[in-house]
């Protein structure tokens, strides 16, 4: 166990059961913030989680534990800040929610001229705001669709930082509550 970190406590409850979670870290292994998968896995194990595995080097951790989503999210963010020294934010979703997001992708995921993205939001109000902001975008160049608890986005390959939706999504006010993943990454997460 590393100094300063303790296991995340779960609230006592007869309704709490073991669940499989996916922590989607925002902003790691880009912009000078490097978190090695082996170190990330060690942190989650030190926090008392079981069946911990990382997927790719883009900040995806699958693990099992008991607990409340809000308490887990807060505890993991604090532990990431303490261990790795950066302003950490995650979106915490269940493995079932990731599987549902993959199954619901409404665009042609095999189109080599497009990038299949799924946007996860930790707050419903933010998701609604992003969808409302995207309603006037050109659906041919910047296709956005609403999913169950997610936003689907299918920009032209190479345009994921320059489209109107990309610029909306990059606004600082969304940094703490959103993260996006390529559909292929999510397929690896759900196995």
């Amino acid at each position: 166990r590393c100094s300063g970190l303790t296991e995340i406590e779960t609230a006592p409850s007869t309704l709490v059961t073991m669940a499989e979670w996916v922590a989607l870290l925002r902003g790691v292994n880009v912009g000078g913030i490097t978190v090695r998968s082996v170190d990330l896995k060690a942190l989650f194990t030190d926090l008392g989680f079981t069946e911990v595995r990382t997927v790719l080097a883009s900040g995806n951790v699958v693990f099992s534990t008991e607990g409340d989503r809000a308490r887990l999210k807060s505890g993991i963010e604090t532990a990431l800040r303490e261990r790795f020294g950066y302003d950490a934010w995650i979106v915490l979703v269940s493995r079932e929610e990731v599987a549902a997001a993959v199954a619901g992708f409404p665009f042609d995921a095999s189109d080599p001229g497009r990038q299949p993205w799924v946007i996860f939001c930790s707050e419903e109000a933010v998701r609604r705001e992003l969808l409302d902001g995207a309603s006037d975008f050109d659906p041919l160049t910047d296709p956005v669709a609403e999913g169950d608890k997610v936003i689907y986005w299918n920009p032209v390959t190479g345009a994921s930082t320059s489209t109107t939706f990309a610029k909306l999504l990059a606004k600082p006010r969304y940094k703490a509550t959103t993260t996006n993943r390529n559909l292929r990454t999510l397929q690896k997460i759900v196995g």
Side-chain angles (χ1 to χ4, degrees):
R1 191 164 319 281
C2 74
S3 67
L5 297 179
T6 59
E7 290 185 12
I8 295 175
E9 298 177 22
T10 58
S13 170
T14 57
L15 301 176
V16 175
T17 59
M18 190 67 74
E20 193 169 16
W21 295 97
V22 180
L24 303 171
L25 284 66
R26 178 174 173 124
V28 296
N29 300 331
V30 295
I33 299 169
T34 302
V35 178
R36 295 180 331 142
S37 292
V38 67
D39 297 330
L40 191 55
K41 182 176 181 178
L43 171 69
F44 276 69
T45 301
D46 288 348
L47 290 171
F49 302 142
T50 61
E51 301 176 50
V52 178
R53 69 181 173 93
T54 60
V55 180
L56 303 175
S58 53
N60 308 294
V61 185
V62 180
F63 63 97
S64 294
T65 193
E66 297 175 343
D68 163 86
R69 185 185 314 247
R71 176 171 278 168
L72 289 170
K73 178 182 180 334
S74 175
I76 292 167
E77 289 172 340
T78 298
L80 287 165
R81 289 177 184 125
E82 290 176 3
R83 171 79 63 96
F84 300 113
Y86 78 102
D87 203 5
W89 292 289
I90 68 166
V91 175
L92 185 64
V93 292
S94 71
R95 186 183 174 283
E96 291 80 20
E97 289 168 330
V98 174
V102 169
F105 192 77
F107 304 110
D108 179 3
S110 66
D111 182 347
R114 297 284 181 164
Q115 291 179 301
W117 292 104
V118 180
I119 315 304
F120 291 88
C121 303
S122 59
E123 296 177 12
E124 177 59 20
V126 169
R127 189 177 80 91
R128 290 270 28 116
E129 185 177 320
L130 286 167
L131 285 166
D132 290 346
S135 63
D136 294 332
F137 298 169
D138 181 351
L140 296 177
T141 59
D142 212 9
V144 174
E146 181 175 3
D148 184 23
K149 300 181 183 176
V150 297
I151 298 171
Y152 297 108
W153 179 37
N154 203 36
V156 173
T157 299
S160 63
T161 59
S162 60
T163 71
T164 308
F165 187 69
K167 291 174 184 173
L168 174 64
L169 191 58
K171 291 189 177 197
R173 71 175 178 259
Y174 301 125
K175 186 175 184 178
T177 57
T178 66
T179 192
N180 58 304
R181 293 295 184 276
N182 187 285
L183 187 66
R184 289 177 285 283
T185 299
L186 296 174
Q187 289 167 333
K188 290 177 183 177
I189 288 171
V190 297

